[in-house]
Amino acid sequence: TFTISRGQKPTAEQLKEVEKETGIILSNSPTQHAGTVTVSEINKVKHEIPMLSLDKCHSIKEIEDFIGKDNYYISVKCDGLSTRLIYENGELISAATRGNGELGQDVTFHAKQFKNIPLSISYKDRLVVDGESVILYNDFEDINAKMLEEGLEPYKNPRNLCSGSVRQLDSSVTANRNVRFYAFSLVSSEDIDFNNSFENQFKYLKGLGFDVVEYKRVNKDNILETIEWFANSIEANNIPSDGLVLTYDDIAYGVSLGRTAKFPRNAIAFKWQDEIKETILREIEWSPSRTGLINPVAIFDTIDLEGTNVSRASLHNISYVEDLKLGIGDRITVYKANMIIPQIAENLTKSDNLTIPSVCPVCGGATEVRQDSDTKMLYCSNTQCAAKKIKSFSHFVERNAMNIEGLSEATLEKFISLGFIKDFVDIYKLETYKDKITNLEGFGEKSYENIIASINASRECMLYALINALGIPGIGSANAKLLCKAFDNDLDKLLSATVEDISAVEGMGEILATGIVNYMQDEKNLKLIDELRKELNFIKIIVDESTQVLAGKTFVITGSLNNYVNRDELKSIIEEKGGKVAGSVSAKTTALINNDATSNSSKNKKAKELGVEIITEAQFEEMYLA
């Protein structure tokens, strides 16, 4: 036995002991080495017990008609992808989507990458559990922020993103999307007495290590106030939901009710009724971004939705506009998706007379329509577009870049229009315009001093902050950190790196590497970087050279490990000692670490083809760490 204080993390050995004692091993446990896989297709799987959907109601009156004198449980109806898990001998053996209820898709490998699914449980007989696979709102926003950083179209909602993430051929995509599973039904088990209580099933699932949907006990006396409680808490809930589920607590009685051809009779879903209101479309605002993408935004007569005034809604892209057949003056209906994001529900007029602008609304330069898969998007082709400049400057000063407070987009636009700022480096010379700035409307001595103080504070920065701030296509905050770390936080090394050098960095493909090198070798960009480095003082990362025994060496890790909790632990050790860990084998790889040198994996084949040595982790320790 051992004691772990609050806030203290258990060691790997302690964690293994707890897992052995409880029989519960979660998918995100550091003791697991569940590798990602790539499959050629997603296979269909037949459900032994049909995965029925629930009958739905949209009014409180229907709920009141359904509920009688019995006890019920009302739970959150998560908005994601319904998924069934099957366990045998305590191990997860199958995961499948609901599909049409009879046939689903086999996503077993993908489910093993979910953040919270138990891979092993203490119950050893056959167990079937239904639940919802979801991506939380905060993860959804982080993923979209990264998409925008890289100049890519963001995803529309967590449900669609989750559905696409779970159905990928490459399960590593699932692993990177932070998909989670929330159980909502124990479908079948053997020899467990739940005392005929639905709540006891939930409690049992919790004890096995499952996260379950949020639920409350209700009857006819408190059903209305409980629904109101859930409705009031939805905006603060991080889990996407589209309603509630009402289920009989009496399991036997619920089963005795049987089912229709489509629905079981022991439960009913109460769908949130999105408040929809009609209004008139007055204008389409075309808003350019720093990447040149021009986003359409609907402007309509102000309406009150869910207690707030709404007059704007994103139209996402040209394809979306065309599908709605929009025209100025059309009668449209608007709602808040998940009671948060304004969306156009329907175009009642469908005049379809909207003209896509042929010139950029900011610079007057020609626009062009680009097709990405089935989606049309509008771009400004003028590389010197002022909107691109303003958005680029706004990106330069944001928190994850140079972190300069006080320079809002409106302030930047004003300073640019007055000629105070023409390039990034001019921000560090704004003191030249002190008198003019302090005399501007809305500014004063205090505002000026705050801006200058924030600018001066940004002069002490990490190199990756600058690399992110430059707005290199495909390089956001995360990639900037990877890039700088790979080149020892040395700007000169980064500037002289080749496409092959950058491609060897994990997460940097050849296309991205080519774009980075092209940016770094452009004469104008080189001049800008040189001017900026004169204004900045990069924070040095002090490294004890005596510990850098792996300096100049690059390793690739594949397969399962014996002496390390996971690959990240071994990777951290290599990097701490000055080495690099790449995602793919190349001519510059020092060695491929693989405990199975005889496997026919693609990395083994590539290593043999290039003459790269394949070593076990024990050989690695003996050769490089002894």
Side-chain angles (χ1 to χ4, degrees), residues 8-58:
Q8 178 186 353
K9 290 185 178 180
T11 65
E13 290 305 315
Q14 288 173 333
L15 186 55
K16 286 179 183 177
E17 189 177 329
V18 170
E19 289 174 341
K20 183 178 179 180
E21 198 172 298
T22 63
I24 299 170
I25 301 178
L26 297 179
S27 57
N28 65 348
S29 169
T31 67
Q32 295 304 294
H33 314 293
T36 59
V37 298
T38 301
V39 296
S40 58
E41 62 179 342
I42 302 291
N43 295 319
K44 294 286 180 68
V45 59
K46 181 175 176 59
H47 298 301
E48 295 175 8
I49 302 171
M51 283 189 74
L52 300 178
S53 58
L54 293 175
D55 198 4
K56 300 174 180 64
C57 66
H58 297 275

Side-chain angles (χ1 to χ4, degrees), residues 453-497:
S454 187
I455 290 171
N456 287 334
S458 77
R459 293 178 187 272
E460 295 277 335
C461 66
M462 301 295 292
L463 177 60
Y464 66 74
L466 174 64
I467 300 304
N468 178 27
L470 291 173
I472 304 169
I475 299 298
S477 179
N479 277 347
K481 289 178 181 178
L482 281 175
L483 200 57
C484 293
K485 186 174 183 180
F487 292 95
D488 305 320
N489 288 286
D490 187 317
L491 181 56
D492 291 319
K493 285 184 181 181
L494 183 54
L495 291 174
S496 60

